[in-house]
Amino acid sequence: MRTKRIDQPHAVASPSPIAGRRALTRVGLAVLLLAAVLVATGCVGGERPKNVIFLIGDGMGVAHVTAAKVAFGELEMERFPYGGICGTFPDGSFVTDSAASGTALATGFKTVNGAISVTPEDAVLKTALEYAEENGMATGLVVTCSITHATPAVFAAHIDDRGKNHEIAEQLTVSGVDVLFGGGAGYFTPTEAGGLRTDGQDLLSDMEERLVVVRDADEFRAMGEVDAAAFLHAKAHPGTAGDRPVSLAELSERAIEILSRDGDGFFLMIEGSQIDWAGHENDKQWLLDEMADFDEAVGVALDFAERDGRTLVVMTADHETGGLTVDQGSVPDDWLGPVDWSSESHTAAMVPVLSYGPGSAAIGGIIDNTDIGAFLIDAVGGEPRE
Ligand SMILES: [Zn+2]
């Protein structure tokens, strides 16, 4: 079924057929024809969600979830009914970066480290967000890093090098993304106005033609009823969990409120970006702070999905960071002892994938990050029909 993304030349890998195969198995041979019709009409496991919320804990391995569970006792992410683990290997290397793994999650295709939703040969890979947009859904990106950083960029930009923040900002400006919350205002603002752009372009002004741009937490909270908004609350990357003016949960709640005004449904990606940076720094307290911030946003997404009844929520990570080992603590006391780290970089360890809502049972077991990309594209009705 999902053998080839027909509009993507030079694609290096095919999205996996796992999710669809499971759906067919469950439905049974007697209704194979019906299942084929369901798949052909883009239904995930036979059920098509109205909205999709995709949460990424950057660098969040199973041990990171373990650490948070031990320290906090109970996590919002425990509310997910389905789960599995996911491989993150990129094309051409063993350990992935956030660009290659993000591309796999956003498009269903593997690429090389550093590439933002393009193949190693630079061919554009269409993303779940772009398929959603094409189908009339509202779209949003909510992160705790610069909005031009690798993970948000892979959903709405296409470029060979994740370091090209200024070009990514230009692409985000002309994208149709309705909600952009994160840092990175400097990449949209000329140096004369205190930004980082030397080409004189004021992209935030350009953006104001299609969405409301707010510039600080007070403006953000006073925004009122809007259909589209950008809130870039730091020149480059925002501060750490305790230092950010607005929590990821508050940003997510507002994003959902804005996007859910669209009667055609929405696709929203929410990233706990700095879980990864705490891992790089081997900093246990920072990790727990970021995990708490991210987990609260998971709760917001699940609260909405429970109320709404037509929302698919998927949570995963792009890779593990830090080679975290948790071997000292007490579950009855909610006490996490000293932890060990075997790396200051990313590792190849598999990461968790959890899901809730219409079609969620179709993604699970031991899968690959490209399976998640293919699944999300299916969920927004974007799979090319065959
Ligand atoms: Zn990452």
Side-chain angles (χ1 to χ4, degrees):
M1 302 178 302
R2 283 190 204 103
T3 48
K4 277 207 175 61
R5 190 63 38 77
I6 47 181
D7 55 348
Q8 291 162 344
H10 313 301
V12 293
S14 298
S16 153
I18 282 179
R21 199 171 59 220
R22 291 226 171 105
L24 289 178
T25 305
R26 212 176 48 236
V27 170
L29 287 173
V31 284
L32 250 182
L33 183 60
L34 173 62
V37 169
L38 290 174
V39 171
T41 51
C43 300
V44 179
E47 294 173 272
R48 171 83 193 280
K50 180 182 182 192
N51 310 304
V52 178
I53 303 176
F54 184 41
L55 294 132
I56 300 176
D58 200 302
M60 182 185 69
V62 173
H64 301 58
V65 176
T66 311
K69 166 69 180 164
V70 172
F72 306 140
E74 199 174 348
L75 299 176
E76 298 288 350
M77 55 185 76
E78 292 177 58
R79 295 162 60 188
F80 285 107
Y82 298 105
I85 51 174
C86 176
T88 68
F89 311 100
D91 187 22
S93 314
F94 185 60
V95 177
T96 193
D97 80 333
S98 297
S101 55
T103 296
L105 294 171
T107 73
F109 288 90
K110 297 259 187 220
T111 191
V112 290
N113 285 341
I116 300 292
S117 288
V118 292
T119 68
E121 295 79 22
D122 235 4
V124 166
L125 296 166
K126 197 163 168 181
T127 76
L129 182 146
E130 290 167 338
Y131 279 112
E133 214 162 60
E134 197 175 82
N135 287 343
M137 298 165 77
T139 58
L141 299 171
V142 176
V143 299
T144 55
C145 58
S146 168
I147 198 77
T148 60
H149 209 230
T151 307
V154 295
F155 286 89
H158 304 274
I159 200 157
D160 61 339
D161 178 2
R162 59 180 288 173
K164 295 179 176 174
N165 286 283
H166 294 84
E167 289 86 344
I168 291 168
E170 290 162 27
Q171 292 191 27
L172 291 177
T173 301
V174 298
S175 76
V177 184
D178 302 290
V179 167
L180 293 162
F181 294 165
Y187 299 115
F188 297 79
T189 312
T191 49
E192 308 88 78
L196 299 163
R197 298 193 70 89
T198 54
D199 61 3
Q201 287 198 77
D202 183 351
L203 299 178
L204 285 183
S205 295
D206 295 351
M207 227 189 262
E208 260 166 336
E209 287 168 20
R210 65 178 187 88
L211 39 74
V212 174
V213 176
V214 293
R215 290 159 203 273
D216 60 40
D218 291 339
E219 281 184 20
F220 174 75
R221 294 190 173 114
M223 197 156 47
E225 291 193 359
V226 299
D227 295 325
F231 174 37
L232 304 181
H233 57 81
K235 188 171 176 180
H237 292 309
T240 57
D243 286 334
R244 293 193 286 268
V246 185
S247 71
L248 187 61
E250 185 178 349
L251 293 171
S252 303
E253 191 155 24
R254 196 72 170 95
I256 290 168
E257 186 267 318
I258 294 169
L259 295 173
S260 60
R261 289 168 192 279
D262 192 308
D264 298 318
F266 66 83
F267 176 89
L268 170 63
M269 193 285 290
I270 299 167
E271 184 198 29
S273 318
Q274 299 193 27
I275 296 167
D276 174 59
W277 304 349
H280 280 286
E281 291 295 316
N282 290 178
D283 186 326
K284 173 188 146 190
Q285 190 54 53
W286 186 9
L287 170 69
L288 292 177
D289 292 346
E290 296 296 344
M291 285 297 296
D293 185 62
F294 178 65
D295 190 55
E296 197 190 348
V298 169
V300 164
L302 290 172
D303 286 347
F304 173 80
E306 282 174 5
R307 284 198 307 274
D308 178 70
R310 295 166 300 171
T311 299
L312 169 70
V313 185
V314 179
M315 186 207 83
T316 192
D318 52 351
H319 51 78
E320 196 271 357
T321 303
L324 178 62
T325 299
V326 178
D327 59 2
Q328 298 182 61
S330 164
V331 171
D333 299 327
D334 291 344
W335 177 70
L336 177 69
V339 299
D340 288 317
W341 307 83
S342 64
S343 170
E344 291 180 350
S345 187
H346 303 173
T347 75
M350 288 191 179
V351 295
V353 51
L354 299 169
S355 60
Y356 172 92
S360 56
I363 188 94
I366 297 181
I367 56 172
D368 186 75
N369 53 10
T370 51
D371 297 324
I372 298 178
F375 178 76
L376 293 173
I377 289 171
D378 240 12
V380 298
E383 195 70 17
R385 314 290 188 254
E386 288 179 57

